[in-house]
Amino acid sequence: MSMSSTHSKGFNRRFNSLQSNGHAAKDGSHPRRRIITHNDAYLYALRVAYLTYLLQPRARRVQHTPAPATPVQRSSTSINDLMKDFSLIRDSKSTRFPHGFMSELERRLTGVLMGREKKPEYNDATIKRTFAAFFNAFTEQSFKKRMEKDRRVEDLVLIFFSNATKELQKGKVPGDDSWKLMADRHLALFVRLISLVLKDHDWARDRPELAGRLATLESKLLAHDQDLSSTPTRNGASAGTTVEVVVPLSHEVKDMQHVQVVARIFGLTDTQVQSDINKYKPLWTEKAALHDLKLYQTYLNLNSKKTLRSDDFHFDEAYDSWRKGEDHDLSQMMLAIIQSSPELAKSTSGSNLPSFDRQMSSPGSGDASYANTIGRGSELSERSPYVIDQPVDMTTLKSDSPSSVSPNDDENPFTFIPPDPRAFYRFIVAEALTHDLNDKSLQPSEAATDAPAVRLFSKQSTELLNELGLRWRIHPVSRMVLSLDVVREKFVDQEKEYTLDTVDAFFNFIKEQPPDTRKKSQGTLMSLLHDRTKWVVSDTALYQQILSALHEALMRDLYDIMQQCYEPKPPNIGPIMYVLETHIYNDSSFSKSQDELDALSGALHEGLQQKAHDMYRSFLEKHVPQDQHSWEFFHVIELGKAVTALAQKIQKRYRKNPEIMGVNPFTALVETILPLYAEDTRDIVTRILELAQASSEEVPIEDGFQLYSELTNTRRFHGEVLPKVPFLFPVEATLADFVWRWIRMTESSINDWVDQAIKQDDFRVRTDNPQQIPTEEQRHSVSVMDIFSSFNQTIDRVVQLNWDDDLQYAKFMTALAKIVGAGVARYCDQVEQRFTKEMDRVSPEQEAAASQTKQEKWLRLAKDTWNNKEKIEPFQFFPESFVKLNNIDFAAQQLDKLEHEVNVDACAAVIQSHALPVTQRQKKINNYVFTIKIVEAEDLKACDMNGSSDPYVVLGDEYQKRLAKTRIVYRNLNPRWDESVDIVTQGPLNIIATVWDWDAMGDHDCVGRASLKLDPSHFGDFMPREYWLDLDSQGRILLRVSMEGERDDIQFYFGKAFRTLKRTERDMTRLITDKLSAYIHHCLSRRTLRNLTSKGITMSTVSNYFNRNRPQQTTQAPTEAEVADALKPLFAYFDDNFAIMNQTLTNAAMVMVMTRLWKEVLVTIEGLLVPPLSDKPSVQRQLSQQELDIVFKWLQYLFDFFHAVDDETGEANGVPLGVLRSPKYFDITTLNFFYFESTDALIRTSERMASATAARLQSQKNRLSAPAALAAPAFGGAAGLVGVPSTRRSKSIMLSRNLGTMKKAKEEKWKEAQAEPNDDMILRILRMRPEAERYVRDRSRQRDRLAANAVAEMIVKQSIMAGGGRMMGSLPKR
């Protein structure tokens, strides 16, 4: 891509604008097109180098001169003569002391006086005396202040000489002049001390002129005495003295430094160059050089084209400044030639030699200021013979015949100045630069800043080019521009020596500030370089052309490098951008067009996109086979990794500098390859799935998961870098089937996982030592840990996918929740079966009894009855049984943790938010969950010889499939079970409840049967109902039934799993407590009460048993200790069993067992006080006041025992108070208020409570459910036929979905029971009053009517709502 045309236009506009300002460029200001030969350039460079040799300071050598025969008088040079070298240049800063010098000199003088000076020549006592005299004058404040201000050398030297003379004259007789030589010697020592101070503080390098003149002064003072450390005996001795003489020039190349440089640059030998010097030596003389300067000055005065004119500058002020500096430089150069060859002054037409003019102002610019331009490290003040810092008056030096010079002469009238100085200078610069870059042995130029020196021109070449520029009168800026043009030409031509570093180094070389800005000449040059208004017009034009050409070349290189930016190791683009930004764009002479840059950016962006497309195609060919039947997900994954890795590498590579010329390589890459990858991946994956389906094969699930992970990472990266561009591959919709396959595979394996975990578990605490007491974390076995580890791994596998579709993810979690629920149910069923088998095992006594004959059994039973003795053997619990209970409790905790980690509520909310409106949902429910609670039974048939039964209930369906079995309630015709079971059905189901009498000896007896039809259509409101079912033999049984639609809902599945765990936990706990309940009933019985109140069995008590209507004889009340002692066997029994449990059960399970025992205690005490609720009179007699007091004392003792408060710490270690003070506990405590009330008072209280219940029903008539009071057991009639609905659904699966909701539901249940008192207890008291038989029967009928009315009203409301678009089977919206 070429930009030369556009840049040339920009250059012309710039150049035309300069011309339009009135500064038209003349022909002389432009470099002429001249063919310069190698030999011509060599000869002109050689003659300048030879001239430098001729003008260099002459070397001196020491020559011995015999002493004169007569004694030498004092011949020391006058001090005024010696100080002329300083006084003539009084105003020059180069010969003044630097700032801070006076304090350092004072410190050094103090060292001399204190004897700390290391130089031996300063240890003489006379010298110290002389220095002390000077030190007094030096430290005088006025003199010291003047010296700090003026810092002139002559003032300091003269005051020392004056004080030294005065000090040395002391004690000398008139006419003794020996002290004068001593004064010169001491002054020389002082000058040497000044030089040492300058050298030690590196001031000598900054002021070479001052250091040189001080060295000259010291040598002149030592002309009569060279060895200051020895006795001055050499002057006037017979051996004579030594003098310095000038060494004559050899005119040999070996002594010509610059000539040797020319020879090396042009590739000639010293012999060849010596031959040329010998040939042209008569012509290349100092006189010819002086003639060139005079002739040049003449052309300058005549405004000839051979010199710069005012038209060659942009502004007249620039020309005037240059002209002023040019006159100054010419005067300096002429003076240097005359000083080198004084005889030339005689050939001038002037009457006087040049003289110094102290009134002449310093020039503003010129070649003296350029003495150190190219070679910053070379000090031409030391090497050049014609650079003099002080101004010189050249008005007396005129040219021989200026009028004879023709300004229009085309021939070259100069000897040392070539016809076209700019062209010759450029040619030699090119030769010198090429030679120096190839010659690694040459010394580079010194550094201009703290950075290391760059290697462009060698130090020798730099000095030669300075001589050429100065001798040929080339403008300082022109030298820089011409040198830069050489670098530009070589770089554009791509010569290997001229790299980008060379271009950058040369720009820095000409732009950087010199290290010592205090040098006026260097500061003037830098000002000239930065002030473009003082440039020559041709230099401005050439500089613009250089910048334009470099910009075009750099742009080509930039485009080529950018085409490689996606390679593993691309070329560094930094140097090009640095040169462009630093040296091209930041330069005011370069005018960049925004349209041009935009066009370049567009082309560069298109090139990068094409390169990115090629890179993607190479990835595609590398990772994806050509044969479609060979395609696998692995190929797509590898392709995605390659694409993502390249994009991330490019993003990191260009993070700090994302844009280059307005183009972002990373953006160009990702907007090309990411959409291509998304499209190709979609097509490849779709084709792989189609081929697999056609061949009846399945892609491995793990491959699908790996592909999804890679695709989501790529899509996430795509969204970050291209937020407005959609990812064209529907990942979730395509790969969701892999997750469903994983879920189905898990569902088919869940039962096997559970069975294997149980099979490998020995259900023991996990302690290392059997004698070690297990901690809470060690009291469950490994099976429950294994199954929940499997659950977590299964769920984590889906969670780790980071599925990006919330609805699909919620459905995945719902399906997994169903699987977890099935696994939990399986585990609970298997563990409970093993637990039940362990708890129902036959004891050794029972095994012995089973082997007895029937006659032996009857004899043993009669004997025990006659002895009035019931032997209760403690049950031997297995530790494994308690571990199983711990496992169930641990499973509930883990399930609760899992429920929170899955975020069940959020998943349900997502599904709910995407659900159809209620009117559009499918109304049909496939599965229904019936929860049947077997509450209690009444008036059962007695099947045992003792007139009682040991009933339990078995639920079965019409196909004789066993659905559930309750625990055994021993010796009770009015048992209460309170056990629940869930039954899942898809339609109506007939269930049969069979009551059996447990018998340890022989088969169990059937007590009675009853049936109930579970029809989902009758439970459309999903409210619980209670059914009293009459048994086919005698008595009845109470069932509480509720229904829920089994929904595909994650909350439902977790709730069902929680309820399964809690029901299993409750059933297992009841089996444990059942083993203890027999002894509870034995200790808390009416027989114990009779024994306690009658102090044993007597004939009177027996007769009273048969004559109940006779008044009871008053007996002495038992003492407090006797009442407490009656419970000691029970407490000892509890302690023995609790000690066994405490070794294995967890704290939570222990509290749960104790809580269940507490409930058993409350039921037993309640049975002592009142009979069950019924509409029939009871044969149970009412307790006496004395018996009632004993029962309530027992209640308090048992309360304290179960609360288990530590006497020392006051901390409760048993059942919490909130559990102990249950609603039943409060019902029992309230009996004390009504127990001995008259029958009429109790009836009135019951009626008042009934009225309050009716009022509450009236206030709730708009609600769908019936009042809470109707949830109590009914007495048959219409309510017994249709069931009584309850207002609360505390057993709902949705309210059991985690431990938190279950706890909250229980708290609400207790609050409701306490907030709504009823008259049940009063009616139970009235059952023991024969005179209240009629009221109890009427009150029962009233409650039946209320229940029937509530059911009828509910049915009507449901019909009305169903007519409004809702169906009986629909699920209520939560």
Side-chain angles (χ1 to χ4, degrees):
M1 50 188 302
S2 175
M3 301 179 65
S4 58
S5 60
T6 58
H7 283 296
S8 62
K9 293 179 181 179
F11 161 71
N12 290 334
R13 288 195 298 269
R14 172 68 176 169
F15 189 62
N16 293 337
S17 66
L18 293 175
Q19 290 180 332
S20 63
N21 290 333
H23 302 284
K26 302 300 181 180
D27 294 339
S29 63
H30 293 279
R32 300 175 181 176
R33 297 294 182 180
R34 180 186 295 272
I35 300 177
I36 300 174
T37 63
H38 186 273
N39 187 63
D40 291 343
Y42 156 70
L43 288 177
Y44 274 102
L46 181 62
R47 64 188 69 183
V48 171
Y50 177 68
L51 179 61
T52 304
Y53 171 73
L54 295 177
L55 298 180
Q56 69 181 358
R58 299 295 190 266
R60 294 176 180 272
R61 67 186 177 189
V62 178
Q63 181 175 340
H64 181 74
T65 304
T70 58
V72 179
Q73 302 295 324
R74 193 269 179 186
S75 57
S76 61
T77 308
S78 171
I79 188 63
N80 293 327
D81 295 336
L82 293 175
M83 297 306 298
K84 283 184 178 180
D85 288 343
F86 293 95
S87 60
L88 290 175
I89 53 174
R90 185 181 183 91
D91 294 332
S92 176
K93 293 182 180 180
S94 62
T95 58
R96 292 186 181 185
F97 290 121
H99 290 285
F101 174 79
M102 297 305 165
S103 60
E104 294 298 328
L105 178 62
E106 181 179 356
R107 185 182 62 81
R108 196 66 174 263
L109 288 171
T110 304
V112 172
L113 298 178
M114 297 297 293
R116 295 196 300 265
E117 182 61 44
K118 297 181 180 180
K119 300 292 183 180
E121 56 265 26
Y122 293 97
N123 295 330
D124 185 71
T126 306
I127 293 176
K128 291 183 179 180
R129 183 163 55 88
T130 306
F131 272 59
F134 165 73
F135 188 77
N136 294 331
F138 177 73
T139 55
E140 199 273 325
Q141 290 298 325
S142 60
F143 176 76
K144 189 174 182 180
K145 184 176 181 181
R146 179 161 57 87
M147 286 304 302
E148 289 288 350
K149 178 180 179 183
D150 297 337
R151 296 179 285 113
R152 293 184 299 198
V153 179
E154 58 268 27
D155 294 342
L156 194 62
V157 173
L158 290 175
I159 195 64
F160 180 88
F161 185 78
S162 175
N163 285 275
T165 301
K166 293 178 182 179
E167 187 65 30
L168 292 174
Q169 281 180 346
K170 294 179 181 180
K172 302 296 182 181
V173 297
D176 185 2
D177 294 336
S178 61
W179 61 270
K180 293 184 179 180
L181 292 176
M182 187 68 70
D184 291 347
R185 187 163 56 251
H186 287 199
L187 181 60
L189 281 174
F190 178 69
V191 173
R192 180 177 296 182
L193 187 67
I194 293 175
S195 300
L196 290 174
V197 174
L198 292 173
K199 183 179 180 181
D200 290 346
H201 292 81
D202 207 22
W203 286 324
R205 189 177 64 177
D206 296 338
R207 283 172 166 75
E209 184 72 17
L210 175 60
R213 294 184 185 277
L214 288 174
T216 302
L217 177 60
E218 180 185 347
S219 63
K220 289 180 180 181
L221 289 171
L222 297 179
H224 302 290
D225 194 348
Q226 296 296 326
D227 190 0
L228 295 179
S229 63
S230 62
T231 305
T233 60
R234 297 179 58 189
N235 190 26
S238 60
T241 184
T242 57
V243 296
E244 288 185 351
V245 296
V246 177
V247 179
L249 297 176
S250 65
H251 296 281
E252 295 180 0
V253 173
K254 63 183 181 63
D255 297 329
M256 305 176 187
Q257 179 182 358
H258 286 42
V259 171
Q260 294 175 5
V261 175
V262 173
R264 286 195 297 267
I265 290 176
F266 287 93
L268 300 176
T269 63
D270 291 350
T271 303
Q272 293 174 321
V273 175
Q274 186 68 59
S275 175
D276 291 334
I277 289 177
N278 294 337
K279 177 180 179 182
Y280 294 105
K281 181 168 59 175
L283 300 177
W284 297 347
T285 62
E286 294 94 327
K287 183 178 180 180
L290 183 61
H291 178 269
D292 281 359
L293 293 177
K294 294 177 182 179
L295 186 59
Y296 179 83
Q297 189 177 43
T298 302
Y299 284 133
L300 186 64
N301 294 332
L302 294 176
N303 200 21
S304 170
K305 291 190 294 182
K306 293 184 179 295
T307 64
L308 294 177
R309 299 180 296 177
S310 60
D311 292 341
D312 293 325
F313 290 86
H314 297 285
F315 301 99
D316 293 338
E317 294 80 1
Y319 173 75
D320 294 341
S321 176
W322 172 81
R323 177 61 187 271
K324 187 176 181 180
E326 196 74 357
D327 291 340
H328 172 268
D329 293 343
L330 290 174
S331 299
Q332 292 277 1
M333 295 169 67
M334 290 179 188
L335 179 60
I337 294 175
I338 294 173
Q339 287 179 343
S340 177
S341 300
E343 65 276 4
L344 293 178
K346 301 177 181 179
S347 62
T348 60
S349 59
S351 58
N352 297 320
L353 290 175
S355 61
F356 294 108
D357 183 6
R358 298 176 182 174
Q359 303 300 323
M360 183 177 293
S361 60
S362 60
S365 63
D367 287 305
S369 66
Y370 196 73
N372 202 17
T373 300
I374 299 181
R376 297 255 169 81
S378 61
E379 296 291 346
L380 289 182
S381 60
E382 298 179 0
R383 303 179 183 273
S384 179
Y386 50 81
V387 177
I388 301 178
D389 289 335
Q390 68 270 17
V392 181
D393 185 6
M394 297 294 294
T395 57
T396 60
L397 185 63
K398 305 296 183 181
S399 59
D400 291 337
S401 54
S403 59
S404 63
V405 179
S406 173
N408 297 323
D409 189 4
D410 294 333
E411 298 295 330
N412 185 26
F414 302 105
T415 301
F416 293 94
I417 303 177
D420 190 349
R422 291 170 60 94
F424 274 83
Y425 183 83
R426 186 184 183 282
F427 186 91
I428 296 173
V429 167
E431 294 295 324
L433 189 57
T434 302
H435 173 268
D436 291 349
L437 291 177
N438 290 325
D439 191 351
K440 307 299 182 183
S441 63
L442 294 178
Q443 180 183 2
S445 61
E446 296 183 6
T449 62
D450 295 335
V454 293
R455 192 179 185 282
L456 293 173
F457 294 103
S458 66
K459 188 175 183 180
Q460 297 80 2
S461 299
T462 301
E463 295 173 355
L464 175 63
L465 293 175
N466 281 334
E467 296 295 337
L468 294 176
L470 291 169
R471 183 58 56 186
W472 294 349
R473 307 313 305 147
I474 300 176
H475 194 277
V477 175
S478 299
R479 303 175 208 173
M480 292 291 95
V481 174
L482 291 173
S483 301
L484 182 61
D485 188 46
V486 171
V487 176
R488 184 271 312 164
E489 180 183 19
K490 302 294 185 180
F491 176 74
V492 172
D493 293 342
Q494 297 184 353
E495 295 189 12
K496 63 178 182 179
E497 298 87 358
Y498 294 84
T499 63
L500 195 62
D501 293 336
T502 307
V503 176
D504 175 54
F506 200 87
F507 270 111
N508 294 329
F509 188 67
I510 64 176
K511 290 182 179 181
E512 284 186 353
Q513 184 72 16
D516 190 357
T517 57
R518 289 175 293 182
K519 293 184 178 181
K520 182 177 179 181
S521 60
Q522 294 174 342
T524 304
L525 173 62
M526 294 309 300
S527 175
L528 182 63
L529 289 176
H530 289 88
D531 188 0
R532 304 291 171 87
T533 61
K534 295 182 179 181
W535 283 25
V536 181
V537 173
S538 59
D539 290 339
T540 302
L542 179 58
Y543 188 68
Q544 291 177 341
Q545 291 177 344
I546 293 171
L547 294 180
S548 178
L550 286 175
H551 181 262
E552 182 178 349
L554 291 174
M555 288 299 101
R556 288 195 297 268
D557 293 345
L558 177 64
Y559 185 87
D560 294 338
I561 291 179
M562 288 297 292
Q563 292 302 302
Q564 307 176 53
C565 69
Y566 300 140
E567 300 295 334
K569 294 183 178 180
N572 187 8
I573 200 173
I576 291 182
M577 296 306 303
Y578 177 80
V579 173
L580 284 173
E581 296 292 339
T582 306
H583 304 308
I584 305 296
Y585 295 146
N586 289 340
D587 199 304
S588 59
S589 298
F590 179 78
S591 58
K592 53 183 178 181
S593 171
Q594 190 61 40
D595 294 339
E596 296 171 355
L597 295 180
D598 292 343
L600 175 64
S601 299
L604 183 59
H605 186 75
E606 293 177 0
L608 290 178
Q609 286 183 322
Q610 182 60 42
K611 186 64 178 179
H613 189 276
D614 296 340
M615 292 291 294
Y616 175 75
R617 287 301 168 194
S618 66
F619 289 155
L620 194 64
E621 295 174 359
K622 178 180 178 181
H623 297 290
V624 180
Q626 294 293 329
D627 184 14
Q628 296 184 4
H629 293 82
S630 302
W631 285 353
E632 296 180 2
F633 285 175
F634 171 77
H635 300 133
V636 179
I637 294 173
E638 291 300 314
L639 177 62
K641 290 181 178 179
V643 169
T644 306
L646 175 62
Q648 292 176 345
K649 182 188 296 183
I650 300 303
Q651 185 182 32
K652 182 178 180 181
R653 181 180 296 171
Y654 295 99
R655 180 169 298 168
K656 294 183 178 179
N657 300 299
E659 289 193 356
I660 301 171
M661 299 297 297
V663 178
N664 191 323
F666 173 70
T667 302
L669 174 71
V670 297
E671 68 183 10
T672 302
I673 64 174
L674 291 183
L676 289 175
Y677 171 75
E679 294 180 11
D680 290 344
T681 301
R682 176 194 60 195
D683 298 339
I684 294 174
V685 172
T686 303
R687 185 56 180 165
I688 291 174
L689 296 177
E690 291 175 352
L691 293 175
Q693 184 178 5
S695 60
S696 300
E697 297 178 354
E698 286 187 342
V699 180
I701 295 176
E702 195 62 31
D703 291 355
F705 286 174
Q706 292 180 2
L707 176 63
Y708 179 80
S709 178
E710 182 62 34
L711 288 177
T712 52
N713 291 335
T714 305
R715 182 176 59 186
R716 188 181 306 109
F717 182 71
H718 181 283
E720 293 174 356
V721 299
L722 299 175
K724 297 183 179 179
V725 179
F727 194 73
L728 300 180
F729 183 16
V731 183
E732 282 72 24
T734 305
L735 302 181
D737 184 62
F738 288 92
V739 184
W740 289 118
R741 285 170 53 195
W742 166 265
I743 293 174
R744 290 193 295 269
M745 182 182 69
T746 303
E747 185 177 13
S748 63
S749 306
I750 191 67
N751 289 338
D752 184 60
W753 291 356
V754 174
D755 294 343
Q756 290 298 324
I758 295 176
K759 183 179 180 181
Q760 298 174 10
D761 192 4
D762 57 0
F763 293 98
R764 297 183 182 273
V765 293
R766 296 175 293 105
T767 56
D768 299 332
N769 187 355
Q771 304 300 326
Q772 179 183 354
I773 299 177
T775 62
E776 284 291 309
E777 292 76 14
Q778 296 175 336
R779 297 190 178 222
H780 53 268
S781 62
V782 296
S783 60
V784 67
M785 299 173 61
D786 292 341
I787 65 168
F788 273 93
S789 176
S790 301
F791 295 160
N792 287 319
Q793 291 176 7
T794 302
I795 293 176
D796 288 344
R797 191 66 187 90
V798 178
V799 173
Q800 290 171 1
L801 293 175
N802 294 320
W803 203 261
D804 205 21
D805 188 309
D806 291 342
L807 179 60
Q808 286 185 347
Y809 177 80
K811 291 182 178 180
F812 295 157
M813 291 297 106
T814 301
L816 291 175
K818 182 178 180 180
I819 295 174
V820 170
V824 168
R826 178 74 173 184
Y827 184 78
C828 290
D829 181 64
Q830 295 294 319
V831 170
E832 188 175 10
Q833 287 182 17
R834 294 190 176 206
F835 182 85
T836 304
K837 185 176 180 181
E838 294 169 357
M839 300 301 292
D840 290 345
R841 71 184 186 277
V842 180
S843 63
E845 292 78 3
Q846 292 174 340
E847 290 181 358
S851 62
Q852 294 176 350
T853 62
K854 190 172 183 180
Q855 184 178 2
E856 292 174 342
K857 292 179 183 178
W858 280 104
L859 290 175
R860 182 179 59 82
L861 181 60
K863 184 178 179 181
D864 291 341
T865 303
W866 175 256
N867 293 330
N868 193 22
K869 177 180 178 182
E870 293 184 11
K871 185 177 180 181
I872 306 298
E873 297 291 340
F875 186 77
Q876 298 297 326
F877 294 101
F878 288 163
E880 294 83 352
S881 302
F882 294 148
V883 171
K884 293 181 177 66
L885 181 59
N886 293 340
N887 286 357
I888 300 300
D889 180 66
F890 180 78
Q893 298 175 18
Q894 293 299 307
L895 186 64
D896 185 69
K897 181 179 178 182
L898 184 64
E899 191 262 353
H900 286 86
E901 292 177 351
V902 172
N903 200 353
V904 169
D905 294 339
C907 293
V910 170
I911 295 178
Q912 183 66 25
S913 64
H914 290 80
L916 295 173
V918 177
T919 56
Q920 300 180 14
R921 296 181 190 175
Q922 186 177 0
K923 307 301 180 180
K924 184 178 179 181
I925 299 178
N926 295 325
N927 295 329
Y928 300 92
V929 180
F930 283 95
T931 301
I932 302 175
K933 182 173 184 179
I934 305 172
V935 183
E936 61 180 339
E938 285 185 355
D939 196 21
L940 296 180
K941 179 179 69 173
C943 298
D944 295 337
M945 294 180 59
N946 57 5
S948 182
S949 296
D950 302 319
Y952 66 92
V953 180
V954 174
L955 286 184
D957 61 8
E958 53 191 316
Y959 304 104
Q960 299 183 354
K961 178 182 178 182
R962 181 172 175 176
L963 302 177
K965 174 188 174 183
T966 68
R967 62 190 173 93
I968 302 171
V969 179
Y970 297 97
R971 293 177 297 279
N972 200 326
L973 298 179
N974 299 292
R976 188 175 185 88
W977 294 280
D978 288 326
E979 296 186 22
S980 301
V981 63
D982 287 341
I983 298 175
V984 180
T985 180
Q986 295 182 349
L989 177 67
N990 292 319
I991 62 171
I992 300 173
T994 304
V995 182
W996 294 89
D997 172 53
W998 179 86
D999 196 346
M1001 298 173 291
D1003 297 332
H1004 300 181
D1005 301 324
C1006 180
V1007 179
R1009 292 184 178 87
S1011 64
L1012 176 67
K1013 182 178 182 180
L1014 302 179
D1015 192 346
S1017 61
H1018 297 163
F1019 292 84
D1021 57 352
F1022 300 102
M1023 302 304 295
R1025 286 173 169 76
E1026 293 179 347
Y1027 296 92
W1028 277 104
L1029 304 178
D1030 293 328
L1031 299 178
D1032 56 1
S1033 58
Q1034 175 185 335
R1036 58 182 182 173
I1037 185 172
L1038 176 62
L1039 301 181
R1040 185 174 297 155
V1041 183
S1042 63
M1043 185 196 75
E1044 287 189 75
E1046 183 171 309
R1047 63 187 75 175
D1048 190 18
D1049 185 276
I1050 188 170
Q1051 292 177 329
F1052 176 85
Y1053 292 132
F1054 268 97
K1056 186 177 180 181
F1058 270 110
R1059 191 160 69 170
T1060 301
L1061 284 171
K1062 283 302 177 181
R1063 183 169 295 161
T1064 302
E1065 185 180 58
R1066 185 171 57 249
D1067 293 344
M1068 294 170 68
T1069 304
R1070 182 176 287 117
L1071 287 175
I1072 294 175
T1073 57
D1074 284 348
K1075 300 303 179 181
L1076 308 178
S1077 61
Y1079 199 68
I1080 295 175
H1081 296 158
H1082 172 71
C1083 295
L1084 302 178
S1085 62
R1086 287 183 174 249
R1087 179 179 300 171
T1088 306
L1089 276 176
R1090 287 196 303 269
N1091 292 337
L1092 189 61
T1093 55
S1094 64
K1095 307 293 182 63
I1097 301 177
T1098 63
M1099 292 302 296
S1100 61
T1101 58
V1102 175
S1103 63
N1104 289 335
Y1105 178 79
F1106 293 101
N1107 299 281
R1108 295 181 180 180
N1109 295 327
R1110 293 183 181 182
Q1112 299 289 334
Q1113 294 182 357
T1114 304
T1115 60
Q1116 183 179 358
T1119 63
E1120 192 79 19
E1122 291 175 340
V1123 174
D1125 290 342
L1127 294 183
K1128 281 185 177 182
L1130 180 61
F1131 290 156
Y1133 185 72
F1134 282 159
D1135 288 337
D1136 294 339
N1137 286 279
F1138 288 169
I1140 299 174
M1141 297 177 189
N1142 197 39
Q1143 294 178 358
T1144 308
L1145 287 178
T1146 62
N1147 290 336
M1150 190 68 189
V1151 171
M1152 183 169 54
V1153 171
M1154 293 177 67
T1155 302
R1156 180 61 197 172
L1157 284 175
W1158 173 248
K1159 291 181 179 179
E1160 192 69 28
V1161 167
L1162 293 179
V1163 171
T1164 304
I1165 290 180
E1166 184 184 44
L1168 289 176
L1169 297 174
V1170 291
L1173 187 62
S1174 177
D1175 58 348
K1176 299 178 181 179
S1178 175
V1179 296
Q1180 180 176 337
R1181 71 174 181 84
Q1182 189 170 345
L1183 298 179
S1184 65
Q1185 182 66 52
Q1186 187 180 58
E1187 293 173 330
L1188 184 66
D1189 293 340
I1190 293 173
V1191 171
F1192 277 100
K1193 287 180 181 180
W1194 285 350
L1195 180 62
Q1196 184 61 43
Y1197 292 153
L1198 289 166
F1199 185 94
D1200 296 338
F1201 176 82
F1202 278 92
H1203 192 38
V1205 177
D1206 193 330
D1207 295 335
E1208 296 181 358
T1209 62
E1211 181 181 358
N1213 299 317
V1215 182
L1217 284 176
V1219 177
L1220 293 174
R1221 294 172 178 172
S1222 62
K1224 185 175 288 295
Y1225 174 79
F1226 283 106
D1227 288 343
I1228 294 174
T1229 56
T1230 57
L1231 282 175
N1232 200 18
F1233 299 102
F1234 303 108
Y1235 203 75
F1236 296 106
E1237 288 285 336
S1238 63
T1239 303
D1240 294 339
L1242 289 177
I1243 292 175
R1244 288 194 297 271
T1245 303
S1246 176
E1247 290 177 347
R1248 185 169 60 253
M1249 289 184 178
S1251 301
T1253 301
R1256 189 165 55 252
L1257 286 173
Q1258 186 65 27
S1259 64
Q1260 298 175 352
K1261 78 182 288 187
N1262 294 329
R1263 295 178 59 185
L1264 185 62
S1265 61
L1270 298 182
F1275 302 109
L1281 293 177
V1282 298
V1284 180
S1286 174
T1287 60
R1288 181 174 45 82
R1289 299 174 60 196
S1290 60
K1291 297 300 181 181
S1292 169
I1293 291 179
M1294 299 304 292
L1295 296 179
S1296 304
R1297 61 181 182 272
N1298 56 45
L1299 295 179
T1301 57
M1302 295 172 70
K1303 181 178 180 181
K1304 184 177 179 181
K1306 182 178 292 186
E1307 291 175 354
E1308 291 178 353
K1309 173 184 177 182
W1310 285 10
K1311 291 179 181 179
E1312 183 179 349
Q1314 296 177 9
E1316 298 182 0
N1318 52 64
D1319 60 344
D1320 288 352
M1321 282 298 180
I1322 296 178
L1323 293 176
R1324 296 173 72 174
I1325 295 174
L1326 291 175
R1327 282 193 64 197
M1328 297 184 295
R1329 310 280 181 90
E1331 62 272 17
E1333 178 181 358
R1334 181 175 179 182
Y1335 175 77
V1336 172
R1337 185 171 57 253
D1338 294 342
R1339 181 78 177 89
S1340 174
R1341 293 174 180 175
Q1342 179 186 6
R1343 294 175 64 147
D1344 289 343
R1345 288 195 299 272
L1346 291 175
N1349 292 336
V1351 171
E1353 183 179 358
M1354 192 183 311
I1355 294 174
V1356 171
K1357 287 186 176 181
Q1358 289 178 354
S1359 301
I1360 296 174
M1361 295 178 66
R1366 298 183 62 181
M1367 298 178 65
M1368 294 292 291
S1370 63
L1371 293 175
K1373 184 178 179 181
R1374 299 195 312 278

